[in-house]
Amino acid sequence: MYKRSIVLTVLLGLGILVSAQSMPAKPAPPQAGVNPVVEKYINDNEQKHVQELMDFVSIPCISSLPSHAADMTKAAQWLQTKLQSIGMDSVQVMQTDGNPVVFAQWNNAKGKPTVLLYGHYDVQPVQEALWTSAPFTPKLENGRIYGRGASDDKGSALTGIWAVEAMLKKIGKLPVNVKFLFEGEEETGSAHLGAFVAAHKDLLQADAAYSADAFQKSDTQGAMIMSVKGASTMEFSLKTANRDLHSGVFGGRLPNAAVAMANIVASLHTPDGKVAVPGFYDKVTPMTDEEKHMAATVAYDEQKELTAYGATAFTGEKGYTSQERAWYRPTLEICGMWSGYTADEGFLNIVPASAHCRIMCRLVTNQDPIEIMALIKKHINSQLPEGVSIAWKDIGGFGIAAAKAPGNTAAFKAAVAVLTQLYGTAPVLMGTGGSNAATSVLDKELGLPPYSFGFLQEDENFHSHNEFMRVSDLQKGQLAYCMLLNYIGNQKTK
Ligand SMILES: [Zn+2]
C-alpha cells in the first residue's frame, strides 16, 4: 500500500521523463538535460575545479573555535570573490551576530522561477594526530581530495556555483533566477541564521530551495532526505562540598557527587529504553505510514553496521527498529560525564565533591528544543538528593528544531526527476538522525523547506579524520545542478 503511493509520487515527479523511458513510441522532449557545450566545459575544467576546491579547503575555517575567527572572514571573502568572478550580481558578505553570511543573486530570467541554493562554508575541528595528511593541506589521491571540509560542505557547495559558472560562461544566461546563501555557523548549530533570514525575507524570497549540505546514497543511486532531527544540548554540574574529601573521614556521611550524578543519569531513561523525563513525548508526532515504509525498505544491514563499529547489540526504545529510532524517534544521550579521580593510574581515595554531565537530545517534528531543555532541567532539579546543589551552564548553540520536507511539491518532484535521470534509478527517500538548522529556518521564515541536493557520500569521513570528496561527484554535482535549473526553468513560468 505504502509502496504504491511512493511509486506513484515518484512517477508523478518524473513526469515526461518517465513517460519517455517507458513509452518509447511517444518521445517527449527532455526536460532536465545539460547543454553539450556546458557539459564539455564542466569536463574540460575538472583539474581547475579540483585545484579550486583544494584552495578553498586550505582555509581552516573552524566555526566552533574562537581562534579561527579570522579564517571565517577569509573563507567568506573567498566565496565572495568566486561568486563575483562567475558573474553573479549583488554579491555580499553580510554580517550577523556570529559569522558572516555570503549572498549572491542572478535575477535576469524574467518571468522565470527563483531558486535559492543553500550551503555552508564552516568546518568541524580536526584531531590532527589522527589524520594521515595535514587536514588543511589538501591532497589529491586516487580520485579523492582529502582535507577538512572537502566533502562537508565546501565540495558540495562549490558544485552549484560551478554549474552556474558553466552556464553563464557558455550560454550567457541561466534558465531560472538563482540566489546563493552560504552560512558560516552550520557546524555550531546555526545560532544566528534564523535572525538573519527573518531580517532579510525579501532578499531571500524564492520559489524553491535546495541544500548542498546533503549526501547521495552511493555512486549509483541518489537519495532525498525527507526529514532532519532537531537538537538541544545542555550541561550541568553537581556540587556537594567545596573540595574533594578523605573517603575514610567523610565516606558514608557526606553526599558523594559521583553517586548523585549516577542516580540522576539513571533516572533519565526507563528500563524499556524510553526517555523518562515527564512531558518529553507529549508533542511527538507518530511516524506516518510513508515514514515506516522508508525505514523498512532502505537498504540496510544491521549486522554489518554492528561489526563495522565493534558493537554487539542495538538497544533503545522498545517497539521500534533501529532505523526508526535513528530517523523518527526522539532520543536523549549522555555525551560526557566526569567526576572524582579519573587519571589512568593510581588512586585518590576521596568522596568527590563535584560531578559534571553533558546531554544531547535529538528531537522530532513538533518538539520545541527550548521547551524540551526546560522539561529536562525540571526533571533533573526534582531528582536532586539532599545536600547536592546544581549549576546549569549555558553552552549556547544547538537549539535546533526538527523539520520535514514535503514529498508533494514541484521542487521535490524536480529533484527526484533529476536524480533519477542522473543515476538511472529513482533516489532512495530517507530520513536522517542528523540535524540541520537551515531546513527548519528556511521552512519557518520563508515557507521554503530546502530539499537535499548535495553530492557527499556517507563514507567520506565528514566530522572525522581523513575526510575526502570524490572528484567524480564534483562533476556529477555540477551536471545535477545544471539539470535541476533547466528542469525548473522548463517546468513553469511564474
Ligand atoms: Zn555540513
Side-chain angles (χ1 to χ4, degrees):
M1 191 59 194
Y2 322 133
K3 193 166 202 166
R4 185 161 302 165
S5 68
I6 284 187
V7 168
L8 258 179
T9 310
V10 172
L11 285 177
L12 285 171
L14 297 182
I16 288 168
L17 284 169
V18 162
S19 315
Q21 281 170 5
S22 54
M23 292 188 287
K26 278 191 202 167
Q31 296 211 346
V34 181
N35 185 314
V37 180
V38 172
E39 187 166 355
K40 184 174 185 311
Y41 178 86
I42 289 171
N43 293 334
D44 288 350
N45 281 278
E46 186 185 285
Q47 285 313 310
K48 185 174 158 261
H49 292 147
V50 167
Q51 202 44 58
E52 224 168 79
L53 174 56
M54 287 169 62
D55 187 36
F56 194 18
V57 169
S58 69
I59 305 170
C61 39
I62 303 170
S63 51
S64 63
L65 297 178
S67 58
H68 285 270
D71 295 315
M72 305 315 297
T73 308
K74 201 172 158 194
Q77 286 167 347
W78 190 98
L79 273 175
Q80 181 185 33
T81 305
K82 177 65 194 168
L83 289 161
Q84 278 164 344
S85 78
I86 67 168
M88 294 297 293
D89 299 322
S90 36
V91 184
Q92 303 169 63
V93 172
M94 301 174 77
Q95 298 310 314
T96 71
D97 286 339
N99 294 325
V101 159
V102 184
F103 174 82
Q105 61 184 338
W106 191 91
N107 264 338
N108 304 317
K110 297 277 174 288
K112 291 290 185 180
T114 300
V115 178
L116 175 67
L117 301 179
Y118 162 89
H120 67 87
Y121 64 83
D122 62 321
V123 302
Q124 286 273 327
V126 291
Q127 293 168 289
E128 191 151 356
L130 299 173
W131 287 67
T132 51
S133 62
F136 296 110
T137 310
K139 73 168 183 190
L140 174 66
E141 199 174 276
N142 298 326
R144 297 171 167 195
I145 298 160
Y146 287 84
R148 171 57 86 227
S151 162
D152 179 14
D153 186 39
K154 288 174 171 174
S156 191
L158 274 174
T159 58
I161 296 178
W162 288 328
V164 165
E165 173 180 352
M167 288 200 252
L168 285 178
K169 213 154 217 160
K170 300 316 285 185
I171 308 177
K173 60 179 183 177
L174 302 177
V176 291
N177 301 299
V178 171
K179 294 178 179 180
F180 283 114
L181 166 66
F182 297 106
E183 68 155 319
E185 296 186 309
E186 197 281 333
E187 303 293 7
T188 53
S190 305
H192 302 99
L193 185 66
F196 177 84
V197 175
H200 297 92
K201 282 185 185 180
D202 287 345
L203 185 69
L204 298 168
Q205 204 44 254
D207 299 292
Y210 297 91
S211 167
D213 193 23
F215 52 82
Q216 303 296 333
K217 192 72 187 143
S218 68
D219 280 334
T220 52
Q221 187 164 33
M224 292 288 295
I225 300 164
M226 305 307 292
S227 61
V228 293
K229 275 185 162 175
S232 50
T233 313
M234 19 199 349
E235 181 179 326
F236 66 98
S237 297
L238 302 180
K239 196 176 167 192
T240 54
N242 60 12
R243 73 189 69 189
D244 294 340
L245 292 162
H246 190 283
S247 63
V249 178
F250 295 98
R253 63 190 191 98
L254 265 187
N256 181 314
V259 172
M261 182 60 83
N263 286 330
I264 284 173
V265 166
S267 78
L268 292 169
H269 291 90
T270 65
D272 61 359
K274 281 202 177 304
V275 175
V277 174
F280 187 80
Y281 293 99
D282 281 2
K283 296 190 175 168
V284 170
T285 35
M287 287 182 288
T288 64
D289 288 344
E290 279 79 10
E291 288 171 340
K292 277 186 198 166
H293 177 74
M294 280 190 258
T297 51
V298 69
Y300 170 61
D301 183 337
E302 202 163 276
Q303 192 51 50
K304 194 174 158 196
E305 196 174 31
L306 286 175
T307 309
Y309 299 110
T312 53
F314 280 105
T315 59
E317 194 181 3
K318 288 232 167 36
Y320 298 92
T321 67
S322 69
Q323 200 66 264
E324 289 172 345
R325 291 179 199 136
W327 293 355
Y328 303 123
R329 297 298 298 169
T331 59
L332 184 159
E333 289 301 331
I334 305 301
C335 296
M337 55 190 286
W338 61 103
S339 176
Y341 183 72
T342 57
D344 285 343
E345 289 180 292
F347 286 100
L348 187 60
N349 303 320
I350 52 167
V351 176
S354 65
H356 315 271
C357 180
R358 287 194 185 122
I359 295 175
M360 182 169 205
C361 293
R362 297 284 181 169
L363 307 173
V364 299
T365 342
N366 248 358
Q367 285 183 300
D368 176 346
I370 307 299
E371 204 174 297
I372 290 294
M373 284 191 241
L375 290 173
I376 295 169
K377 243 184 201 183
K378 190 175 167 201
H379 169 80
I380 291 177
N381 288 339
S382 78
Q383 300 292 312
L384 279 187
E386 197 185 355
V388 180
S389 65
I390 188 166
W392 291 90
K393 186 175 172 187
D394 178 13
I395 48 179
F398 288 98
I400 298 175
K404 289 187 187 186
N408 57 0
T409 64
F412 169 76
K413 289 167 187 171
V416 169
V418 165
L419 294 177
T420 305
Q421 191 180 342
L422 187 67
Y423 289 92
T425 183
V428 181
L429 306 183
M430 56 191 293
T432 173
S435 307
N436 169 270
T439 310
S440 58
V441 164
L442 297 182
D443 188 11
K444 182 177 160 225
E445 302 295 345
L446 304 175
L448 280 178
Y451 288 94
S452 66
F453 208 76
F455 290 84
L456 326 179
Q457 290 191 42
E458 282 184 289
D459 65 353
E460 289 175 345
N461 299 327
F462 33 87
H463 294 208
S464 184
H465 52 280
N466 300 332
E467 178 178 348
F468 68 89
M469 175 89 190
R470 290 171 167 83
V471 175
S472 57
D473 280 337
L474 295 181
Q475 196 245 18
K476 215 174 252 164
Q478 290 174 73
L479 293 178
Y481 271 102
C482 289
M483 290 161 78
L484 182 72
L485 300 183
N486 281 333
Y487 186 96
I488 296 170
N490 289 339
Q491 270 281 304
K492 58 171 185 178
T493 45
K494 259 177 100 175

